[in-house]
Amino acid sequence: MVRYIIPYLFLYSFYLPFRFLPYRACLFYGKFLVCLLYPLAKKHRKIAYDNISYAFPEYSEAQKKDLVWKSFLHIGNLLAGTLFAPRLSRKWMDKYLVYDAESLAIEQKTIQDGVGVVLISGHFGTWEILVQFMGIRMKGGGIYKKVRNPFVDKLIYRLRSKNGIKLVSTEESSQVTKMLKQGYWVGFGSDQNAGKVGIFVDFFNRKASTYQGPALMAYLTGAKMLLYSVLCGENGKVNVRVKDLGFVDKSAFSDREAAIRHYTEVWTKALEEEVKLFPEQYFWVHRRWRTKPGDFPGQV
């Protein structure tokens, strides 16, 4: 038990200031922490550099290194947003959330229609802010992967569910189908490496093993697919961009597998286009392309 308590206390010591500092101070503190850790993160800086080199082969060395630095600096914003997010309120959203007219219209109409929504997002922008305002603005649900440390797991669950979002663990994924049919908006952050369970689709000039969950759930339930980008703007503002990816058209495909592949390609391409607009806010340090074609026999 001690081996769990010590890491938990260490993590909580970082979290504690975010419980009390004003929002703008949290953003500064998050960047400060990342600046302290940046010189020690040689491995992750290399991962980011390699990923950026594949994604933007036209960049000069100076541009690649500059993007690595900016993406790390953004992690400070992400850290601050993640740990401040449980304190979100409607007053905070009125002050800091910024929608363009088209995105707001898509969201409002979808809420009025009362349909289930497969809400797709990536490790892009300040995604934990999205988790929190889903619980306030709409009938929000999410999937989370349990952490081995029970104290950390309990803390993360409490923080993520603070504003009313309904969470189910990956072990209870069958509940997602029911939630979508009941009109929930269920969030999927599906742009991580899917290993041997994924299908390969193009993402930034490389084949990437990609989770089928969003397209599969939309196929099974008739839910609408929306892509959300929740981005850090100036002066602490959070810019919300929404793309309507529509419903699965089963009649256009010969079988379920073909439909799922098509819509997986659709949302992956849509995410790529968003990242190209704001590349400094993508989480380049994760090993998105770790699984390669041929690593697992029989993988599609």
Side-chain angles (χ1 to χ4, degrees), residues 7-21:
Y8 167 75
L9 292 175
F10 179 75
L11 176 65
Y12 196 82
S13 68
F14 278 95
Y15 163 59
L16 197 58
F18 293 98
R19 292 189 60 184
F20 305 105
L21 289 175

Side-chain angles (χ1 to χ4, degrees), residues 147-187:
V147 178
R148 184 177 300 177
N149 186 318
F151 300 104
V152 174
D153 182 70
K154 186 176 181 180
L155 174 64
I156 292 174
Y157 182 91
R158 188 170 71 248
L159 294 179
R160 282 189 168 175
S161 59
K162 184 76 173 180
N163 279 307
I165 193 169
K166 181 178 179 180
L167 294 176
V168 295
S169 71
T170 51
E171 290 84 359
E172 303 172 305
S173 57
S174 61
Q175 295 297 315
V176 174
T177 304
K178 295 179 181 178
M179 290 167 65
L180 288 169
K181 290 181 177 179
Q182 292 168 358
Y184 276 86
W185 294 44
V186 181

Side-chain angles (χ1 to χ4, degrees), residues 27-46:
L27 294 175
F28 177 83
Y29 180 54
K31 289 181 179 179
F32 171 73
L33 291 176
V34 168
C35 288
L36 289 180
L37 296 173
Y38 183 78
L40 306 176
K42 292 182 179 180
K43 176 182 176 182
H44 290 91
R45 294 201 323 253
K46 184 179 186 307

Side-chain angles (χ1 to χ4, degrees), residues 193-200 209 289-300:
N193 175 54
K196 63 183 179 181
V197 302
I199 57 174
F200 285 105
S209 179
W289 298 268
R290 180 174 56 189
T291 299
K292 300 176 180 60
D295 285 354
F296 299 100
Q299 188 172 22
V300 180

